[in-house]
Amino acid sequence: QVQLVESGGGLVQPGESLRLSCQASGRSFMLYVASWYRQAPGKQRELVATISPAGIADYGDSVRGRFTISRDNAKNTVDLQMNSLEPEDTAVYYCKLRLQNREYWGQGTQVTVSS
């Protein structure tokens, strides 16, 4: 069983940065595909960024060039560096690990971008 705990959310002004972190428990973290999703009020959950076990990253169109996903397999963490934040980035951000047919989600962390 894998448990995920996100941290790093908060309230920032437009143009500022935040770094989210997801700490995973359990074994074999390095085998999982790790992703960050977000869900804004009244909207569907959307994929923000994904990183493969080998460290290959992919991003949603709305964040490409502003956000960077990274992982540390020795520490069982996956981070999301968010730069140039916009009000439209306001959402609850969730970490997910996936391996074959197994998925694990964190509880989410709130990010609010407002002046």
Coordinates of all heavy atoms in Angstrom, one line a residue, residues 10-71:
G10 N -0.6 27.1 -0.9 CA -0.8 28.4 -0.2 C -1.4 29.4 -1.1 O -1.9 29.2 -2.2
L11 N -1.4 30.7 -0.6 CA -1.9 31.8 -1.3 C -0.7 32.7 -1.8 O 0.1 33.1 -1.0 CB -2.8 32.7 -0.3 CG -3.2 34.0 -0.8 CD1 -4.2 33.9 -2.0 CD2 -4.0 34.8 0.3
V12 N -0.7 32.9 -3.1 CA 0.3 33.8 -3.7 C -0.4 34.8 -4.6 O -1.5 34.6 -5.0 CB 1.3 32.9 -4.5 CG1 2.1 32.0 -3.5 CG2 0.7 32.2 -5.6
Q13 N 0.4 35.8 -5.0 CA -0.1 36.8 -6.0 C 0.3 36.4 -7.4 O 1.2 35.6 -7.6 CB 0.6 38.1 -5.6 CG 0.1 38.7 -4.3 CD 0.6 40.1 -4.1 OE1 1.4 40.6 -4.8 NE2 0.1 40.8 -3.1
P14 N -0.4 36.9 -8.4 CA -0.1 36.6 -9.7 C 1.4 36.9 -10.0 O 1.9 37.9 -9.6 CB -1.0 37.4 -10.5 CG -2.2 37.6 -9.6 CD -1.6 37.7 -8.3
G15 N 2.0 36.0 -10.8 CA 3.4 36.2 -11.1 C 4.4 35.5 -10.2 O 5.6 35.4 -10.5
E16 N 3.9 35.1 -9.0 CA 4.8 34.5 -8.0 C 4.9 33.0 -8.3 O 4.3 32.5 -9.2 CB 4.3 34.8 -6.6 CG 4.4 36.3 -6.2 CD 4.0 36.5 -4.8 OE1 3.3 35.7 -4.2 OE2 4.4 37.6 -4.3
S17 N 5.8 32.4 -7.4 CA 6.1 31.0 -7.6 C 5.7 30.2 -6.3 O 5.6 30.7 -5.2 CB 7.6 30.8 -7.9 OG 7.9 31.4 -9.0
L18 N 5.4 28.9 -6.5 CA 5.3 28.0 -5.4 C 5.9 26.6 -5.8 O 6.0 26.3 -7.0 CB 3.8 27.7 -5.2 CG 3.0 28.6 -4.2 CD1 1.5 28.2 -4.1 CD2 3.6 28.6 -2.8
R19 N 6.3 25.9 -4.8 CA 6.8 24.5 -5.1 C 6.0 23.6 -4.2 O 6.0 23.6 -3.0 CB 8.3 24.4 -4.7 CG 8.9 23.1 -5.1 CD 10.4 23.1 -4.8 NE 11.1 21.9 -5.3 CZ 11.6 21.8 -6.5 NH1 11.5 22.8 -7.4 NH2 12.2 20.6 -6.9
L20 N 5.4 22.6 -4.9 CA 4.6 21.6 -4.3 C 5.5 20.3 -4.2 O 6.3 20.1 -5.0 CB 3.3 21.2 -5.0 CG 2.4 22.4 -5.3 CD1 1.1 21.9 -6.1 CD2 2.0 23.1 -4.1
S21 N 5.3 19.6 -3.1 CA 6.0 18.4 -2.9 C 5.0 17.2 -2.5 O 4.1 17.5 -1.8 CB 7.1 18.5 -1.8 OG 7.9 17.4 -1.7
C22 N 5.3 16.1 -3.0 CA 4.5 14.9 -2.7 C 5.5 13.8 -2.1 O 6.4 13.4 -2.8 CB 3.8 14.4 -3.9 SG 2.9 12.8 -3.7
Q23 N 5.2 13.4 -0.9 CA 6.0 12.4 -0.2 C 5.2 11.1 -0.3 O 4.1 11.0 0.2 CB 6.3 12.8 1.2 CG 7.1 11.7 2.0 CD 8.5 11.7 1.6 OE1 9.2 12.7 1.6 NE2 9.0 10.5 1.1
A24 N 5.9 10.0 -0.8 CA 5.3 8.7 -0.9 C 5.9 7.8 0.1 O 7.1 7.8 0.4 CB 5.5 8.2 -2.3
S25 N 5.0 7.0 0.7 CA 5.5 5.9 1.5 C 5.4 4.6 0.7 O 4.9 4.5 -0.4 CB 4.5 5.7 2.8 OG 3.2 5.3 2.4
G26 N 5.9 3.5 1.3 CA 5.9 2.3 0.6 C 7.1 2.0 -0.2 O 8.1 2.8 -0.3
R27 N 7.1 0.9 -0.9 CA 8.3 0.4 -1.7 C 8.1 0.7 -3.2 O 7.0 0.9 -3.6 CB 8.5 -1.1 -1.4 CG 8.8 -1.4 0.0 CD 8.9 -2.9 0.2 NE 9.2 -3.3 1.5 CZ 9.3 -4.6 2.0 NH1 9.2 -5.5 1.1 NH2 9.6 -4.8 3.2
S28 N 9.2 0.6 -3.9 CA 9.1 0.6 -5.3 C 8.7 1.9 -5.9 O 8.1 1.9 -7.0 CB 8.3 -0.6 -5.9 OG 8.7 -1.8 -5.4
F29 N 8.9 3.0 -5.2 CA 8.5 4.3 -5.8 C 9.1 4.5 -7.2 O 8.4 5.1 -8.1 CB 9.0 5.4 -4.9 CG 8.8 6.8 -5.4 CD1 7.5 7.4 -5.2 CD2 9.8 7.5 -6.0 CE1 7.3 8.7 -5.7 CE2 9.6 8.8 -6.5 CZ 8.4 9.4 -6.3
M30 N 10.3 4.0 -7.4 CA 11.0 4.3 -8.7 C 10.3 3.6 -9.8 O 10.6 3.9 -11.0 CB 12.4 3.9 -8.6 CG 12.7 2.4 -8.6 SD 12.2 1.6 -7.1 CE 13.4 2.3 -5.9
L31 N 9.4 2.7 -9.6 CA 8.7 2.0 -10.7 C 7.4 2.7 -11.1 O 6.9 2.4 -12.2 CB 8.3 0.6 -10.2 CG 9.5 -0.3 -9.8 CD1 8.9 -1.7 -9.4 CD2 10.5 -0.5 -11.0
Y32 N 6.9 3.7 -10.4 CA 5.7 4.3 -10.6 C 5.8 5.5 -11.6 O 6.8 6.3 -11.5 CB 5.0 4.8 -9.3 CG 4.5 3.7 -8.5 CD1 5.3 3.0 -7.6 CD2 3.1 3.4 -8.5 CE1 4.8 2.0 -6.8 CE2 2.6 2.4 -7.7 CZ 3.5 1.7 -6.8 OH 3.0 0.7 -6.0
V33 N 4.8 5.7 -12.4 CA 4.6 6.9 -13.1 C 4.0 7.9 -12.1 O 3.0 7.6 -11.4 CB 3.7 6.8 -14.3 CG1 3.4 8.1 -15.0 CG2 4.3 5.8 -15.3
A34 N 4.6 9.1 -12.0 CA 4.1 10.1 -11.0 C 3.5 11.3 -11.8 O 4.0 11.7 -12.8 CB 5.2 10.6 -10.1
S35 N 2.4 11.8 -11.2 CA 1.7 12.8 -11.9 C 1.1 13.8 -10.9 O 0.9 13.5 -9.7 CB 0.5 12.3 -12.7 OG 0.9 11.4 -13.7
W36 N 0.9 15.0 -11.4 CA 0.2 16.1 -10.6 C -1.1 16.4 -11.4 O -1.0 16.6 -12.6 CB 1.0 17.3 -10.4 CG 2.1 17.2 -9.4 CD1 3.4 16.9 -9.5 CD2 1.9 17.4 -8.0 NE1 4.0 16.9 -8.3 CE2 3.1 17.2 -7.3 CE3 0.8 17.8 -7.2 CZ2 3.3 17.4 -6.0 CZ3 1.0 17.9 -5.8 CH2 2.2 17.7 -5.2
Y37 N -2.2 16.4 -10.7 CA -3.4 16.8 -11.3 C -3.9 18.1 -10.5 O -3.5 18.3 -9.4 CB -4.5 15.7 -11.2 CG -4.3 14.6 -12.1 CD1 -3.3 13.6 -12.0 CD2 -5.2 14.4 -13.2 CE1 -3.2 12.6 -12.8 CE2 -5.1 13.4 -14.1 CZ -4.1 12.5 -13.9 OH -4.0 11.4 -14.8
R38 N -4.9 18.7 -11.0 CA -5.6 19.8 -10.3 C -7.1 19.8 -10.6 O -7.5 19.4 -11.7 CB -4.9 21.2 -10.6 CG -5.1 21.7 -12.0 CD -4.3 22.9 -12.2 NE -4.6 23.5 -13.6 CZ -3.9 24.5 -14.1 NH1 -2.9 25.1 -13.3 NH2 -4.1 25.0 -15.3
Q39 N -7.8 20.4 -9.7 CA -9.2 20.5 -9.8 C -9.7 21.9 -9.3 O -9.5 22.1 -8.1 CB -10.0 19.4 -9.2 CG -11.5 19.4 -9.5 CD -12.1 18.1 -9.1 OE1 -11.6 17.3 -8.3 NE2 -13.3 17.8 -9.7
A40 N -10.2 22.7 -10.1 CA -10.7 24.0 -9.7 C -12.2 23.8 -9.4 O -12.9 22.9 -10.0 CB -10.5 25.0 -10.8
P41 N -12.8 24.7 -8.6 CA -14.2 24.6 -8.3 C -15.1 24.6 -9.6 O -14.9 25.4 -10.5 CB -14.5 25.9 -7.5 CG -13.2 26.2 -6.9 CD -12.1 25.8 -7.9
G42 N -16.0 23.6 -9.6 CA -16.9 23.5 -10.8 C -16.3 23.0 -12.0 O -17.0 22.9 -13.1
K43 N -15.0 22.5 -12.0 CA -14.4 22.0 -13.2 C -13.9 20.6 -12.9 O -13.8 20.1 -11.8 CB -13.2 22.9 -13.5 CG -13.5 24.3 -14.0 CD -12.3 25.0 -14.5 CE -12.7 26.4 -15.0 NZ -11.5 27.2 -15.5
Q44 N -13.7 19.9 -14.0 CA -13.2 18.5 -14.0 C -11.7 18.5 -13.6 O -10.9 19.5 -13.8 CB -13.3 17.8 -15.3 CG -14.8 17.5 -15.7 CD -14.9 16.7 -16.9 OE1 -14.0 16.7 -17.8 NE2 -15.9 15.9 -17.0
R45 N -11.3 17.4 -13.0 CA -9.9 17.3 -12.6 C -9.1 17.2 -13.9 O -9.5 16.5 -14.8 CB -9.7 16.0 -11.8 CG -8.3 15.9 -11.1 CD -8.2 14.8 -10.1 NE -9.1 15.1 -9.0 CZ -9.1 14.3 -7.9 NH1 -8.3 13.3 -7.8 NH2 -9.9 14.6 -6.9
E46 N -8.0 17.9 -14.0 CA -7.1 17.9 -15.2 C -5.7 17.5 -14.9 O -5.2 17.8 -13.8 CB -7.2 19.2 -15.9 CG -6.5 20.4 -15.1 CD -6.3 21.6 -16.0 OE1 -6.2 21.5 -17.2 OE2 -6.3 22.7 -15.4
L47 N -5.1 16.9 -15.8 CA -3.7 16.5 -15.7 C -2.8 17.8 -15.9 O -2.9 18.5 -16.9 CB -3.3 15.5 -16.8 CG -1.8 15.0 -16.8 CD1 -1.4 14.3 -15.5 CD2 -1.6 14.1 -18.0
V48 N -1.9 18.0 -14.9 CA -1.0 19.1 -15.0 C 0.4 18.7 -15.6 O 0.9 19.3 -16.5 CB -0.8 19.7 -13.6 CG1 0.3 20.8 -13.6 CG2 -2.1 20.2 -13.1
A49 N 0.9 17.6 -15.0 CA 2.3 17.1 -15.4 C 2.4 15.7 -15.0 O 1.9 15.2 -14.0 CB 3.4 18.0 -14.8
T50 N 3.3 15.0 -15.8 CA 3.6 13.6 -15.6 C 5.1 13.4 -15.7 O 5.7 14.0 -16.6 CB 2.8 12.7 -16.6 OG1 1.4 12.8 -16.3 CG2 3.2 11.2 -16.4
I51 N 5.6 12.5 -14.9 CA 7.0 12.1 -15.1 C 7.2 10.6 -15.0 O 6.6 10.0 -14.1 CB 7.9 12.8 -14.0 CG1 9.4 12.6 -14.3 CG2 7.5 12.5 -12.6 CD1 10.3 13.6 -13.5
S52 N 7.9 10.0 -15.9 CA 8.0 8.6 -16.0 C 9.1 8.1 -15.0 O 9.9 8.9 -14.4 CB 8.5 8.2 -17.4 OG 9.8 8.6 -17.6
P53 N 9.2 6.8 -14.7 CA 10.3 6.3 -13.8 C 11.7 6.7 -14.3 O 12.6 6.9 -13.5 CB 10.1 4.8 -13.9 CG 8.6 4.6 -14.2 CD 8.3 5.7 -15.1
A54 N 11.8 6.9 -15.6 CA 13.1 7.3 -16.1 C 13.3 8.8 -16.1 O 14.4 9.3 -16.5 CB 13.3 6.8 -17.6
G55 N 12.3 9.6 -15.7 CA 12.5 11.0 -15.6 C 12.0 11.8 -16.8 O 12.3 13.0 -16.9
I56 N 11.3 11.2 -17.7 CA 10.8 11.9 -18.8 C 9.5 12.6 -18.4 O 8.6 11.9 -17.9 CB 10.5 10.9 -20.0 CG1 11.9 10.3 -20.4 CG2 9.9 11.6 -21.2 CD1 11.7 9.2 -21.4
A57 N 9.4 13.9 -18.7 CA 8.3 14.7 -18.2 C 7.4 15.1 -19.4 O 7.9 15.3 -20.5 CB 8.8 15.9 -17.5
D58 N 6.2 15.3 -19.1 CA 5.2 15.9 -20.0 C 4.3 16.8 -19.3 O 4.0 16.6 -18.1 CB 4.4 14.7 -20.7 CG 3.7 15.2 -22.0 OD1 4.0 16.4 -22.4 OD2 2.8 14.5 -22.5
Y59 N 3.7 17.8 -20.0 CA 2.9 18.8 -19.3 C 1.6 19.1 -20.1 O 1.5 18.9 -21.3 CB 3.7 20.1 -19.3 CG 5.0 20.0 -18.5 CD1 6.2 19.6 -19.1 CD2 5.0 20.2 -17.1 CE1 7.4 19.4 -18.4 CE2 6.2 20.0 -16.4 CZ 7.4 19.6 -17.1 OH 8.5 19.5 -16.3
G60 N 0.6 19.6 -19.3 CA -0.6 20.1 -19.9 C -0.3 21.4 -20.6 O 0.6 22.1 -20.3
D61 N -1.1 21.7 -21.7 CA -0.8 22.8 -22.5 C -0.9 24.1 -21.7 O -0.1 25.1 -21.9 CB -1.8 22.9 -23.6 CG -1.6 21.9 -24.7 OD1 -0.5 21.3 -24.7 OD2 -2.6 21.6 -25.4
S62 N -1.7 24.2 -20.7 CA -1.9 25.4 -19.9 C -0.7 25.7 -19.0 O -0.6 26.9 -18.5 CB -3.2 25.4 -19.1 OG -3.1 24.3 -18.2
V63 N 0.1 24.8 -18.7 CA 1.2 25.0 -17.8 C 2.6 24.8 -18.4 O 3.6 25.1 -17.8 CB 1.1 24.1 -16.5 CG1 -0.2 24.2 -15.9 CG2 1.4 22.6 -16.9
R64 N 2.7 24.3 -19.6 CA 3.9 24.1 -20.3 C 4.7 25.3 -20.4 O 4.2 26.4 -20.8 CB 3.7 23.5 -21.6 CG 5.0 23.0 -22.3 CD 4.7 22.2 -23.6 NE 4.2 20.9 -23.4 CZ 2.9 20.6 -23.7 NH1 2.1 21.5 -24.3 NH2 2.4 19.4 -23.5
G65 N 6.0 25.3 -19.9 CA 6.9 26.4 -20.0 C 6.9 27.2 -18.6 O 7.8 28.0 -18.4
R66 N 5.9 26.9 -17.8 CA 5.8 27.6 -16.5 C 6.1 26.7 -15.3 O 6.6 27.1 -14.3 CB 4.5 28.3 -16.3 CG 4.1 29.3 -17.3 CD 2.9 30.1 -17.0 NE 1.7 29.2 -17.0 CZ 0.9 29.1 -16.0 NH1 1.1 29.7 -14.8 NH2 -0.2 28.2 -16.1
F67 N 5.6 25.4 -15.5 CA 5.7 24.4 -14.4 C 6.8 23.4 -14.8 O 7.0 23.1 -15.9 CB 4.4 23.7 -14.2 CG 3.3 24.5 -13.6 CD1 3.4 25.9 -13.5 CD2 2.1 23.9 -13.2 CE1 2.3 26.7 -13.0 CE2 1.1 24.6 -12.7 CZ 1.2 26.0 -12.6
T68 N 7.4 22.9 -13.7 CA 8.4 21.8 -13.9 C 8.2 20.7 -12.9 O 8.1 21.0 -11.7 CB 9.8 22.4 -13.8 OG1 10.1 23.4 -14.7 CG2 10.9 21.3 -14.0
I69 N 8.0 19.5 -13.4 CA 7.9 18.3 -12.5 C 9.2 17.6 -12.4 O 10.0 17.6 -13.3 CB 6.8 17.4 -13.0 CG1 6.5 16.3 -12.0 CG2 7.2 16.8 -14.4 CD1 5.3 15.4 -12.4
S70 N 9.5 17.1 -11.2 CA 10.8 16.4 -10.9 C 10.5 15.3 -9.9 O 9.5 15.4 -9.2 CB 11.9 17.4 -10.5 OG 11.5 18.0 -9.3
R71 N 11.4 14.4 -9.8 CA 11.3 13.3 -8.9 C 12.6 13.0 -8.3 O 13.7 13.1 -9.0 CB 10.6 12.1 -9.5 CG 11.5 11.4 -10.5 CD 10.6 10.3 -11.3 NE 10.2 9.2 -10.4 CZ 9.2 8.4 -10.6 NH1 8.5 8.5 -11.7 NH2 8.9 7.5 -9.7

